[in-house]
Amino acid sequence: MASLIYNASGMLEDVRPGTADVAIYAGQQVPFITGSQLQRYAGIIYSESSFLGLARQINPANPSREMERECFAIAVTMYNYARAKGIAFQRANRVYGLNELLVDSGYTKGINSPKFTEYFSAGGDESKRRMATLAVIRLFMRQFWGFEDIIQSLQGAQYWDGNDLFRRYRDHYRAKKGFELSNPAHGRIYQNVTVIQGAQIIASCVAQEPAVVARRQYTFMSTITLGGTIFFRLHPQATAQGITW
């Protein structure tokens, strides 16, 4: 085990082997999460969020801020999912918490991606690494100032998708279960993007799987977009049928 020491900008300044598995940020211990968990959480965000070239095409005026907000939104969304699933599992005398979330490859594909490994390496995007790290630190230290609007706009979102949805569209898992865009603009975030090939404008898509079609049109509803990411909460049609995660 080792203690991880981060400065105020989110950069890892020191690793102290043989000490408690904690993260120290600007002289304070980050609560409710170990240092190794924090790194893994941040690595997932790093692997799932937009790269600078994409953020520049989506928000030319302030791409870095767009990336920073996107990282924080993914951090909150992951937490929302773990909390909802944990409550459901508890009723069945099972456990789903932070440890389970951080190894759940069914929830996030980023765990198995080269980008995830890149977070832990000497290379990669140091600015994005700090943004992903700070997103987790802000979440667990409850330092939400400047990001309050994101929490409100997410509306309890538990899921997100990136360019894969915009390239595959109706062949994507989210479309097969049925999703509704709460704002048509959510489907146009890639319309001026050239760094991602094959992305298209999308619209609400009713469920295609027979078992879902028999019960409802939509399982998910979009809430907000940041960077190249669209965030979803459970659709009221799904929650009315007792679906919680």
Side-chain angles (χ1 to χ4, degrees):
M1 294 190 295
S3 296
L4 308 176
I5 313 300
Y6 294 95
N7 63 21
S9 69
M11 181 178 291
L12 182 63
E13 283 193 328
D14 191 18
V15 177
R16 298 175 183 170
T19 55
D21 185 9
V22 298
I24 306 296
Y25 169 68
Q28 298 182 58
Q29 182 176 332
V30 182
F32 312 118
I33 189 170
T34 68
S36 55
Q37 286 173 333
L38 189 150
Q39 280 196 315
R40 190 170 179 87
Y41 204 134
I44 291 170
I45 295 169
Y46 180 93
S47 67
E48 295 277 357
S49 57
S50 299
F51 57 94
L52 184 59
L54 175 58
R56 280 197 183 113
Q57 294 194 332
I58 290 175
N59 183 359
N62 199 341
S64 293
R65 180 60 174 167
E66 190 77 13
M67 292 173 66
E68 184 180 37
R69 286 166 60 82
E70 179 188 22
C71 285
F72 181 73
I74 293 174
V76 174
T77 300
M78 289 174 63
Y79 181 85
N80 290 343
Y81 176 83
R83 189 166 182 271
K85 192 168 181 178
I87 292 170
F89 270 43
Q90 189 175 36
R91 295 193 194 103
N93 294 316
R94 298 170 62 192
V95 174
Y96 189 97
L98 191 54
N99 283 331
E100 289 72 30
L101 173 71
L102 297 179
V103 296
D104 191 343
S105 59
Y107 178 64
T108 169
K109 304 296 188 294
I111 293 172
N112 297 317
S113 74
K115 285 292 182 183
F116 178 76
T117 304
E118 182 178 284
Y119 173 85
F120 298 91
S121 71
D125 185 337
E126 180 56 39
S127 179
K128 182 179 174 182
R129 185 179 289 108
R130 288 190 292 103
M131 290 177 191
T133 303
L134 281 173
V136 182
I137 290 170
R138 289 184 179 114
L139 173 64
F140 283 89
M141 296 190 78
R142 298 299 188 263
Q143 296 181 357
F144 299 156
W145 49 87
F147 297 87
E148 298 92 341
D149 63 312
I150 293 177
I151 296 174
Q152 182 177 5
S153 297
L154 282 171
Q155 301 174 48
Q158 299 176 26
Y159 312 94
W160 75 90
D161 288 292
N163 68 80
D164 189 46
L165 172 60
F166 289 82
R167 287 185 291 105
R168 296 179 59 198
Y169 192 13
R170 297 184 187 279
D171 291 329
H172 193 275
Y173 167 85
R174 202 76 59 197
K176 291 177 180 179
K177 298 290 185 181
F179 68 80
E180 182 177 16
L181 299 182
S182 63
N183 184 334
H186 292 171
R188 297 195 292 268
I189 59 173
Y190 282 85
Q191 65 181 351
N192 296 318
V193 168
T194 59
V195 293
I196 300 292
Q197 299 299 312
Q200 56 194 304
I201 294 172
I202 66 173
S204 299
C205 188
V206 297
Q208 302 167 50
E209 292 185 356
V212 180
V213 171
R215 303 193 66 197
R216 59 187 175 273
Q217 286 183 299
Y218 304 113
T219 303
F220 309 102
M221 176 176 281
S222 69
T223 60
I224 187 176
T225 63
L226 290 164
T229 302
I230 181 170
F231 296 86
F232 291 96
R233 66 182 178 94
L234 287 170
H235 196 280
Q237 292 179 7
T239 58
Q241 294 169 357
I243 297 173
T244 60
W245 59 272

